[in-house]
């Protein structure tokens, strides 16, 4: 006999608060999408992460109703679902804005101006970390490294990159978002709302124009080592889209011999250089 998620929760000594149910038409649509997601996995439990993105795409955050829905379709307890939903920061636990504006404040972005951007955006928008503007358009937060250090300082909007930002450019960007004016990421796919982003993260087709062709790849500074390993030494082109028009500049990429270090090439040791054998250590000599 199969027990409900509520019964399983009680059996674990964790009484559950009642959650409002989705309207019938919404639940039918979500169940159809959920079946498609679950079918991708040999173990249905593995579908929990995309299912949380699915329910987040419905209301803009993961509600108790959404967690109960995930528990029901996966035959889990709501305690198990809640443990996952509260662990990952990409799942919002309260209503949030159409645009999640995240400022990287990890080391490199911070010293390149990320801390200043975050502080000025807080003052400009009148919100604190994780808070949403009164019009419901923008949620501001500081975020961890997004592996775009060569474009520091980086701001992300719904996980799309805005590279080489300044306080002034970041403030213009959030003003445009709130006013409904077009905002284009520095690279990657065109911008969409947070709910639309959540559905894409649930694994459904990204129907944004040019999204398939768009690239959010690493910049030249991150790729120098790869080029050197391939024997490529051509200069890279770096674009710095700060306040003015984009400007290109050549970046000198040294030859492999200019980059030698203890991690790049074999070094002479007592075994490889008989003319300079290593003597005993002080402890051995004693």
């Amino acid at each position: 006999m199969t027990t409900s998620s509520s019964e399983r929760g009680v059996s674990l000594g964790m009484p559950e608060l009642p959650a409002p149910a989705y309207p019938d038409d919404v639940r039918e649509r979500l169940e159809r999408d959920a079946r498609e997601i679950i079918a991708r996995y040999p173990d249905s439990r593995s579908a929990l992460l995309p299912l949380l993105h699915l329910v987040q795409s419905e209301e803009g955050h993961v509600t108790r109703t959404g967690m109960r829905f995930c528990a029901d379709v996966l035959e889990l307890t709501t305690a198990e679902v809640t443990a996952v939903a509260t662990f990952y920061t990409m799942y919002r636990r309260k209503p949030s804005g159409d645009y999640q504006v995240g400022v990287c404040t990890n080391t490199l972005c911070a010293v390149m101006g990320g801390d200043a951007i975050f502080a000025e955006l807080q003052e400009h928008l009148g919100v604190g970390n994780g808070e949403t503007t009164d019009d419901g358009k923008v949620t501001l937060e500081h975020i961890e490294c997004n592996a775009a250090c060569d474009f520091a300082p980086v701001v992300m909007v719904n996980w799309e990159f805005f590279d080489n930002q300044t306080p002034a450019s970041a403030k213009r960007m959030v003003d445009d978002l709130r006013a409904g004016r077009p905002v284009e990421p520095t690279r990657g796919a065109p911008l969409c709302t947070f709910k639309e982003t959540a559905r894409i993260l649930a694994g459904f087709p990204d129907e944004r124009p040019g999204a398939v062709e768009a690239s959010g790849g690493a910049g030249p500074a991150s790729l120098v080592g790869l080029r050197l390993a391939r024997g490529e030494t051509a200069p890279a082109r770096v674009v710095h889209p700060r306040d003015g028009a984009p400007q290109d500049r050549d970046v000198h990429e040294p030859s492999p011999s200019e980059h030698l270090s203890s991690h790049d090439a074999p070094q002479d040791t007592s075994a490889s250089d008989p003319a300079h054998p290593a003597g005993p250590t002080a402890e051995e000599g004693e």
Side-chain angles (χ1 to χ4, degrees), residues 45-54 74 84 88 91 201-202:
R45 187 189 187 100
S46 300
L48 178 54
L49 295 180
L51 280 179
L52 285 169
H53 284 298
L54 175 66
L74 295 177
V84 174
Y88 294 101
Y91 301 122
L201 291 174

Side-chain angles (χ1 to χ4, degrees), residues 68-84:
R68 172 60 64 85
F69 172 82
C70 293
D72 287 344
V73 297
L74 295 177
E75 297 188 351
L76 300 173
T77 67
T78 52
E80 290 172 308
V81 175
T82 302
V84 174

Side-chain angles (χ1 to χ4, degrees), residues 90-165:
M90 290 181 73
Y91 301 122
R92 310 305 184 196
R93 298 298 310 283
K94 61 182 180 180
S96 56
D98 293 333
Y99 300 99
Q100 309 283 313
V101 176
V103 182
C104 181
T105 54
N106 273 191
T107 305
L108 184 56
C109 278
V111 300
M112 293 292 287
D115 283 345
I117 292 173
F118 186 66
E120 293 204 26
L121 283 182
Q122 287 188 94
E123 182 178 357
H124 184 67
L125 296 172
V127 297
N129 182 42
E131 295 180 353
T132 303
T133 54
D134 292 338
D135 57 10
K137 293 291 186 181
V138 170
T139 297
L140 178 67
E141 63 178 351
H142 68 77
I143 55 177
E144 299 301 319
C145 181
N146 281 273
C149 300
D150 44 342
F151 296 112
V154 172
V155 176
M156 300 195 81
V157 180
N158 295 346
W159 310 113
E160 300 296 346
F161 288 102
F162 289 77
D163 302 321
N164 302 113
Q165 293 296 293

Side-chain angles (χ1 to χ4, degrees), residues 32-45:
R32 184 169 58 252
D33 289 341
R35 286 194 294 271
E36 181 177 339
I37 292 172
I38 293 170
R40 303 170 190 158
Y41 299 92
D43 183 344
S44 63
R45 187 189 187 100

